[in-house]
Amino acid sequence: MKIVHSPHMMTAWSLRLRREGVTVGFVPTMGALHDGHRALIRAARLRCDALVVSIFVNPTQFGPAEDLTQYPRPLANDRRLCREEGVDLCFEPSVAAMYPEGFQTTIAVPAIARRWEGEVRPHHFAGVATVVTKLFGMVRPDIALFGQKDYQQAALIRRLVQDLNMGVEIIVYPTVREKDGLAMSSRNVYLSPEQRAIAATLYKSLRAGAEVVRKGTTDVQAIQSAMATTIEQTSILTVDYLAVCDPLSLDPLSSVVSRAVLLGAVRLGSVRLIDNLVVVAPRTRMEQRVGRRHSPARPASS
Ligand code: PAF
């Protein structure tokens, strides 16, 4: 596996391969890789000829009171995981290379960034949009993979790529969970054993909301109340938000008549957990099944 620090060398490597017809896949990360990243990397490996993983803890997406300095940086382990998964190039730019003296451009995706995580972390998504734009400019991938765990981030990146005609295919990979349902995250290492024991309550609360939808309820208040009741069963969780939203715009819905995403964020002491579930109203689910039954069989390849 090649390790590259220089943005210029990164771009030269990628452009040379692409000129030869090689498909370049990209998984951007902040390191502290876990099995969720491993699954993303494996999924990417199957979809491209040459695979790049970036490891860059991006300072511009952290707020002043957030965990930038404590953020885990187990670089040797991260490189080992990348080697095990057949990554061709690990891109590890420095902060100075990413944000040289005089840097001043910021990318904003205001509507998607406004709510939920954006309310709690006001500069976060501008930092994400800017660094992803820069990384795409340096890596020049054909495809890039992001985890569904950060649903709002994935929605924002899809919008950004479409709005700026970046020509990168975005693939959002399902959340990888621990046995009890807790979504894997690099920040789970911050949880104490007591906090870890109840951390999956957020997922349980989303499941409770999804169950209400499955039973045919369209009323958002009923869905939210099922989610909140599950959280209230544990006294040490504080809710930042439990929301029922349009899956693309992330605007709050007043009823669930087709598809929706349930978004949740809670605090366990100083640790924040976020998670989400996409739900489909029973009627839409049935229509989709009927539609599939009546549509002509697809050819084996197109
Ligand atoms: O999801 C992450 O790890 C980061 O937000 C990303 C996309 C690598 C940008 O720094």
Side-chain angles (χ1 to χ4, degrees), residues 7 29 38 51 56 75-76 109 122 136 147 153-154 159 192-193 197 201-202 206 208 242 270 275 281 283-284 288:
T29 82
R38 195 187 283 277
L51 178 56
F56 178 65
L75 187 58
V109 190
F136 282 180
Q153 167 174 284
R159 185 76 255 167
S192 69
T201 308
L202 174 58
L206 298 172
L242 290 170
S270 59
D275 203 348
R283 223 181 121 169
T284 307
Q288 282 171 347

Side-chain angles (χ1 to χ4, degrees), residues 28-30 58 61 131-132 146 153:
T29 82
M30 297 208 300
N58 173 36
Q61 69 188 74
V131 81
V132 168
F146 295 84
Q153 167 174 284

Side-chain angles (χ1 to χ4, degrees), residues 176-250:
V176 179
R177 299 182 181 280
E178 303 286 356
K179 278 202 181 74
D180 64 354
L182 173 67
M184 288 192 183
S185 162
S186 305
R187 288 187 167 103
N188 289 351
V189 296
Y190 297 151
L191 294 166
S192 69
E194 296 74 35
Q195 291 170 331
R196 174 64 193 86
I198 56 148
T201 308
L202 174 58
Y203 177 58
K204 289 188 186 122
S205 116
L206 298 172
R207 292 277 303 267
E211 182 58 14
V212 173
V213 176
R214 196 189 63 77
K215 286 184 174 150
T217 305
T218 56
D219 175 38
V220 161
Q221 273 183 359
I223 301 163
Q224 267 169 330
S225 134
M227 295 198 280
T229 306
T230 311
I231 298 283
E232 280 155 18
Q233 283 159 13
T234 61
S235 54
I236 62 166
L237 283 171
T238 321
V239 173
D240 271 350
Y241 56 82
L242 290 170
V244 183
C245 310
D246 177 274
L248 292 180
S249 68
L250 299 191

Side-chain angles (χ1 to χ4, degrees), residues 24-28 44 136 141-146 157 168-172:
V24 176
F26 180 36
V27 178
F136 282 180
D142 294 284
I143 62 166
L145 281 87
F146 295 84
I157 288 163
V168 179
E169 184 191 346
I170 302 299
I171 295 165
V172 179

Side-chain angles (χ1 to χ4, degrees), residues 126-168:
V128 170
T130 305
V131 81
V132 168
T133 305
K134 285 179 67 68
L135 287 168
F136 282 180
M138 292 167 181
V139 176
R140 308 290 174 97
D142 294 284
I143 62 166
L145 281 87
F146 295 84
Q148 187 188 320
K149 147 94 183 3
D150 296 302
Y151 191 97
Q152 192 172 4
Q153 167 174 284
L156 173 131
I157 288 163
R158 277 192 197 284
R159 185 76 255 167
L160 165 75
V161 165
Q162 196 177 328
D163 288 354
L164 298 185
N165 307 86
M166 287 180 168
V168 179

